[in-house]
């Protein structure tokens, strides 16, 4: 990649270039979107975009991809158009700054625990001790949201939707007589753990990943079709105190219409649900926020599937 191309990516802000192309840009939380295409999310910090409703090759990435996708140009024409937008003199004399990744600015980089090369302990723990449906376990493994580390712990991973890189991970021990759990250092608490769904209209929010898997198991036992199960968004907060992750996720997915607060049926869970609903109202979020607690005082969703076997 040439220095000229890197300069274009640094100098041209996607939200400004979008207006140059004739789109109407509006603020959405910490991001921007387009009035004409509300599935578009522009991150002003990384100067990258993606479009939720499209899986086309250039529907995400840098300002060059934006020009190719929305300007309907090939790569050469996109560079020429962007150079014209900046001005050749400005492009020539602007200083070139070596790209610095967002991850390098964090206090800690996310380094995933080493893979252990087996699924045996994780699979047995989740299926036999936690009673998670094997379809759910297989899906997590297949989608790289779960693996077993070299100490036989379950490692749950979620990914930045723009870069595709891991940005959150947590561990759960697999020994029945020892309770071990914890987040991996460097995890991004802006979003916590999540499972996006293309064009999904419902978001289910749980406290922990095992709770989330338990809720999905509960849905399967209620005869929900697997296609319908996969059409929902899911999010697991690292704790009820990190509830703002819900709103950061909604900023990325304005297509969501309903948020089901499937938190634990205890005082902290109910208080967090109240706080989320109040915050949504105060900040004028359009989504409907619906309490969705497991049956029974003090229960979480794993308690529910354990009792109903």
């Amino acid at each position: 990649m040439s220095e000229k191309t890197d300069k274009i990516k640094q100098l041209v802000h996607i939200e400004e270039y979008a207006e140059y192309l004739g789109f109407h840009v509006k603020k959405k939380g910490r991001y921007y979107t387009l009035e004409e295409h509300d599935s578009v999310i522009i991150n002003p910090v990384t100067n990258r975009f993606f479009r939720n409703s499209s899986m086309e090759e250039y529907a995400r990435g840098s300002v060059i991809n934006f020009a190719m996708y929305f300007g309907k140009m090939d790569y050469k024409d996109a560079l020429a158009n962007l150079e014209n937008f900046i001005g050749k003199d400005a492009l020539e004399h602007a200083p070139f700054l070596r790209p610095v990744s967002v991850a390098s600015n964090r206090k800690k980089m996310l380094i995933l625990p080493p893979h252990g090369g087996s699924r045996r302990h994780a699979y047995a723990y989740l299926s036999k001790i936690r009673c998670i449906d094997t379809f759910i376990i297989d899906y997590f493994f297949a989608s790289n949201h779960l693996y077993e580390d070299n100490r036989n712990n379950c490692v749950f991973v979620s990914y930045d939707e723009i870069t595709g890189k891991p940005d959150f991970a947590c561990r759960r021990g697999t020994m029945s007589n020892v309770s071990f759990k914890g987040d991996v250092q460097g995890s991004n608490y802006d979003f916590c753990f999540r499972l996006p769904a293309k064009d999904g209209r419902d978001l289910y929010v749980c406290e922990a990943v095992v709770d989330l898997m338990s809720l999905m198991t509960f849905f399967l036992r209620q005869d929900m079709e697997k296609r319908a199960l996969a059409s929902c968004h899911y999010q697991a907060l690292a704790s009820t105190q990190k509830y703002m992750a819900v709103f950061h996720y909604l900023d990325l997915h304005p297509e969501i219409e309903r948020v089901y607060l499937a938190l634990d049926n205890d005082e902290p869970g109910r208080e967090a649900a109240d706080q989320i609903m109040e915050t949504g109202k105060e900040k004028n979020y359009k989504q409907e926020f619906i309490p969705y607690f497991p049956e029974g005082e003090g229960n979480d969703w794993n308690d529910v599937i354990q009792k109903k076997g």
Side-chain angles (χ1 to χ4, degrees):
M1 188 178 297
S2 69
E3 183 174 309
K4 175 182 174 181
T5 302
D6 284 335
K7 273 189 177 183
I8 288 173
K9 290 181 179 180
Q10 290 178 355
L11 294 173
V12 182
H13 296 282
I14 295 176
E15 64 271 20
E16 295 176 359
Y17 181 69
E19 291 183 335
Y20 171 75
L21 291 182
F23 294 107
H24 295 87
V25 177
K26 62 180 182 179
K27 200 82 164 65
K28 180 65 176 177
R30 300 181 304 162
Y31 304 95
Y32 291 99
T33 187
L34 307 178
E35 288 187 2
E36 295 82 358
H37 305 284
D38 64 3
S39 63
V40 171
I41 296 296
I42 301 168
N43 186 330
V45 176
T46 60
N47 200 31
R48 296 177 70 84
F49 85 102
F50 73 97
R51 188 175 187 186
N52 287 317
S53 61
S54 176
M55 296 300 291
E56 293 180 54
E57 182 178 2
Y58 299 110
R60 62 184 59 226
S62 71
V63 69
I64 297 173
N65 284 14
F66 189 92
M68 295 173 68
Y69 184 77
F70 286 105
K72 303 186 185 306
M73 310 175 204
D74 61 22
Y75 184 77
K76 183 178 179 180
D77 288 342
L79 288 180
N81 188 268
L82 288 162
E83 185 175 341
N84 183 64
F85 173 75
I86 303 171
K88 291 186 178 181
D89 289 340
L91 181 61
E92 182 178 347
H93 294 101
F96 173 58
L97 302 176
R98 291 291 172 188
V100 177
S101 69
V102 173
S104 67
N105 290 326
R106 294 180 189 157
K107 292 182 180 179
K108 295 281 187 180
M109 290 185 64
L110 177 64
I111 301 176
L112 295 177
H115 285 248
S118 172
R119 298 182 177 185
R120 183 167 60 88
H121 297 87
Y123 210 102
Y125 170 77
L126 292 170
S127 63
K128 298 183 182 301
I129 297 176
R130 289 294 188 165
C131 300
I132 306 295
D133 191 280
T134 56
F135 173 81
I136 304 299
I137 301 172
D138 290 338
Y139 168 74
F140 269 66
F141 273 119
S143 60
N144 295 318
H145 288 290
L146 167 64
Y147 69 91
E148 183 176 319
D149 70 12
N150 61 342
R151 297 188 176 183
N152 305 134
N153 298 307
C154 298
V155 182
F156 301 103
V157 187
S158 61
Y159 300 83
D160 185 299
E161 292 182 58
I162 297 178
T163 66
K165 295 180 179 179
D167 69 352
F168 182 89
C170 58
R171 289 177 291 180
R172 167 74 71 163
T174 58
M175 297 178 63
S176 59
N177 60 334
V178 179
S179 179
F180 169 74
K181 59 182 178 180
D183 301 331
V184 177
Q185 283 191 338
S187 289
N188 182 359
Y189 293 112
D190 285 347
F191 300 97
C192 298
F193 182 92
R194 64 275 189 205
L195 295 175
K198 183 180 178 182
D199 298 327
R201 295 294 185 263
D202 296 325
L203 166 64
Y204 287 88
V205 181
C206 295
E207 292 187 26
V209 182
V210 169
D211 295 335
L212 187 156
M213 299 177 81
S214 301
L215 178 66
M216 297 173 80
T217 296
F218 174 78
F219 287 152
L220 286 180
R221 291 181 182 177
Q222 298 297 310
D223 296 325
M224 177 185 282
E225 293 185 3
K226 293 175 181 177
R227 181 179 299 179
L229 187 75
S231 71
C232 300
H233 298 261
Y234 300 92
Q235 186 177 32
L237 308 179
S239 76
T240 55
Q241 295 179 347
K242 296 181 176 67
Y243 66 85
M244 287 304 297
V246 175
F247 299 102
H248 298 156
Y249 191 76
L250 292 176
D251 290 341
L252 274 181
H253 291 280
E255 75 277 9
I256 292 173
E257 297 174 356
R258 293 166 294 274
V259 181
Y260 292 91
L261 304 174
L263 306 175
D264 296 356
N265 193 0
D266 55 16
E267 186 173 349
R270 292 189 292 268
E271 287 180 355
D274 289 341
Q275 186 65 62
I276 292 170
M277 289 187 287
E278 290 175 11
T279 302
K281 185 175 181 180
E282 290 171 1
K283 294 182 176 291
N284 297 315
Y285 277 81
K286 66 179 183 180
Q287 289 83 5
E288 181 182 5
F289 294 87
I290 305 165
Y292 198 79
F293 300 114
E295 183 179 341
E297 173 66 30
N299 282 345
D300 59 31
W301 284 100
N302 192 248
D303 293 324
V304 172
I305 65 169
Q306 294 267 7
K307 290 174 181 177
K308 295 191 176 180

